[in-house]
Amino acid sequence: MTSDNEQKIAATLERLHGTQDLAGIEAIRVEALGKQGWLNQLMKTLGKMSPEERQVEGPRLQGMRTRISEALDERKATIEAAELERRLATEVLDLTLPAPEAPAGSVHPVSQVMDELAEIFADLGFSVATGPEIEDDWHNFTALNMAETHPARAMHDTFYFPESDAVTIPASSSEAVGEKRRMLLRTHTSPVQIRAMVEQGAPIRLIAPGRVYRSDSDATHTPMFHQIEGLVIDRDIHLGHLKWTLETFLKAFFEREDIVLRLRPSYFPFTEPSVEVDVGWRDVDGRRALGGDGDAPGHGWMELLGSGMVNARVIEFAGLDPQEWQGFAFGVGVDRLAMLKYGMDDLRAFFDGDQRWLAHYGFSPFDQPTLSGGVGARA
Ligand code: DAH
């Protein structure tokens, strides 16, 4: 019986060595060590043996089980290693192949123009500031010299939050404690002027781009649109600084030297004096192209932005002394700037999310605006 078993083991091990795949190994394992396997059958015979016989046969059968099980593991490891070697040798990734066509995103013209503006103004020493889109009526109106009864408030088509969402200035504040402020979606970026003056003090040189909201909708108005605010507060600032800054900015933005500006007296509650800035255009093949003197025949003026010297009352509202600090401010529609520069004619398409429009008007992420490389260069 013993030599029978030895033979069986030898045969099993030999078959194992001839096996080339994991399925074959599993079959041998079941045949030998499985519930119905021959080694188990042998184990069952232990019960009929005398205690003395069992003491000899028991450990011997256990030894056989161990030998077979170790041989199975060893063979399995060898085959797996060989399989890995084979895959490493045959499965190659050809890195010289071009990458497959991937869906490519693009930078929205509004983002691109904001980046261009940030680049231009950074060169003039302006930093970029932001403020909340959910604003209170003090920052959006009152501090900008629009008291509650001011008619300009009505002109803003404001989206108000319910009266019940009004905030009361807490006792811990340095501001008007106990005052109730109505919440709204900011109607312009001008409240960032107030926040900046209150938080940073003077001097200041910043731009503040962002979303603004008004209840208004047609081909040239959407309920949400983008503005960029400019604010300079320093000593001895005058209208000449404003004009030079706007001229420099618009020439850099439109990338032409023949940009001509016309400053018209106007009215904004937060500036005194206020000026509306028009830019000259000329007729080129039936289209209006920027540049040139708007007064010449075949030329004209286009309203572009609002600006002025910051009203002394606004400087006071923001906690600065208007005897010491003066400044200028301006506000421009970013979407409008984008339309003028890149030739879109329907503002609503900006916010439709239409892939075809985005593919056509969008920019490559590699089109980083730089002053040296051109702020609007298309790759
Ligand atoms: N906030 C104004 C608007 O939305 C635009 C504006 C005009 C901003 C004159 C200014 C300014 O800073 O000085 O209509």
Side-chain angles (χ1 to χ4, degrees):
M1 178 176 158
T2 305
S3 65
D4 259 15
N5 290 341
E6 283 301 331
Q7 265 174 24
K8 226 163 183 161
I9 289 183
T12 301
L13 295 185
E14 197 170 326
R15 267 178 61 209
L16 199 52
H17 276 289
T19 306
Q20 298 305 331
D21 56 70
L22 298 176
I25 291 180
E26 179 60 11
I28 292 171
R29 193 191 63 76
V30 171
E31 208 174 285
L33 307 182
K35 250 203 171 95
Q36 306 298 325
W38 56 266
L39 198 64
N40 255 354
Q41 302 300 333
L42 283 178
M43 290 285 200
K44 282 182 192 155
T45 63
L46 288 176
K48 293 176 197 135
M49 294 178 190
S50 66
E52 294 76 27
E53 268 184 312
R54 203 182 297 137
Q55 275 209 347
V56 181
E57 276 307 303
R60 236 174 43 78
L61 291 180
Q62 271 309 339
M64 284 164 64
R65 175 185 277 281
T66 309
R67 275 172 69 196
I68 293 177
S69 143
E70 279 174 2
L72 283 164
D73 288 347
E74 200 178 303
R75 185 67 192 148
K76 197 169 161 205
T78 309
I79 290 179
E80 279 173 350
E83 172 64 11
L84 182 61
E85 277 303 319
R86 189 192 64 76
R87 284 182 50 196
L88 286 175
T90 55
E91 286 179 15
V92 286
L93 192 60
D94 186 350
L95 296 176
T96 63
L97 285 176
E101 194 74 36
S106 62
V107 176
H108 196 284
V110 170
S111 303
Q112 182 77 12
V113 164
M114 283 187 177
D115 287 349
E116 291 174 16
L117 296 172
E119 178 68 16
I120 291 168
F121 279 101
D123 196 53
L124 300 176
F126 286 60
S127 59
V128 175
T130 56
E133 289 170 33
I134 297 175
E135 188 51 282
D136 61 61
D137 65 352
W138 187 81
H139 287 92
N140 196 83
F141 291 127
T142 312
L144 287 163
N145 198 28
M146 281 182 268
E148 216 152 302
T149 53
H150 200 288
R153 279 206 187 197
M155 286 165 56
H156 274 224
D157 300 312
T158 312
F159 287 114
Y160 280 100
F161 283 80
E163 195 77 64
S164 54
D165 287 333
V167 293
T168 307
I169 305 300
S172 59
S173 173
S174 57
E175 297 177 46
V177 175
E179 188 178 285
K180 254 193 149 56
R181 293 183 181 172
R182 186 86 187 264
M183 300 308 285
L184 45 79
L185 293 179
R186 67 175 178 193
T187 57
H188 50 177
T189 43
S190 302
V192 184
Q193 290 186 28
I194 305 299
R195 290 187 175 274
M197 283 189 267
V198 168
E199 283 158 30
Q200 306 171 21
I204 289 180
R205 229 187 277 181
L206 62 79
I207 53 168
R211 297 191 184 95
V212 300
Y213 303 82
R214 287 184 204 181
S215 172
D216 203 351
S217 190
D218 58 36
T220 51
H221 297 89
T222 47
M224 184 282 297
F225 58 105
H226 300 85
Q227 283 190 340
I228 191 161
E229 195 79 12
L231 176 69
V232 168
I233 299 283
D234 212 325
R235 294 184 173 92
D236 305 322
I237 297 291
H238 54 76
L239 262 182
H241 294 118
L242 169 61
K243 183 159 195 255
W244 181 88
T245 304
L246 292 177
E247 251 167 25
T248 305
F249 140 52
L250 291 167
K251 281 179 181 171
F253 179 72
F254 288 113
E255 299 180 278
R256 15 183 350 132
E257 274 303 308
D258 64 348
I259 294 288
V260 181
L261 299 187
R262 181 175 72 175
L263 272 52
R264 266 185 302 115
S266 182
Y267 173 75
F268 299 104
F270 32 89
T271 44
E272 181 58 36
S274 302
V275 284
E276 202 110 34
V277 178
D278 299 334
V279 62
W281 58 266
R282 65 209 192 293
D283 200 309
V284 178
D285 302 328
R287 282 185 70 101
R288 288 178 177 194
L290 290 188
D293 172 6
D295 285 329
H299 293 222
W301 296 103
M302 183 184 315
E303 195 180 305
L304 196 61
L305 55 86
S307 63
M309 300 306 295
V310 179
N311 193 311
R313 283 180 57 82
V314 171
I315 293 178
E316 232 166 34
F317 267 117
L320 296 176
D321 178 4
Q323 298 301 327
E324 185 177 4
W325 303 104
Q326 303 79 44
F328 65 79
F330 58 89
V332 209
V334 174
D335 317 281
R336 190 163 148 70
L337 285 178
M339 289 168 87
L340 281 172
K341 183 166 177 179
Y342 295 115
M344 306 88 162
D345 52 16
D346 190 343
L347 177 64
R348 287 167 299 196
F350 274 57
F351 311 117
D352 282 345
D354 186 325
Q355 272 299 332
R356 293 161 300 179
W357 189 90
L358 290 168
H360 183 77
Y361 287 111
F363 292 80
S364 158
F366 297 113
D367 273 345
Q368 290 282 341
T370 59
L371 278 179
S372 54
V375 284
R378 265 178 195 268

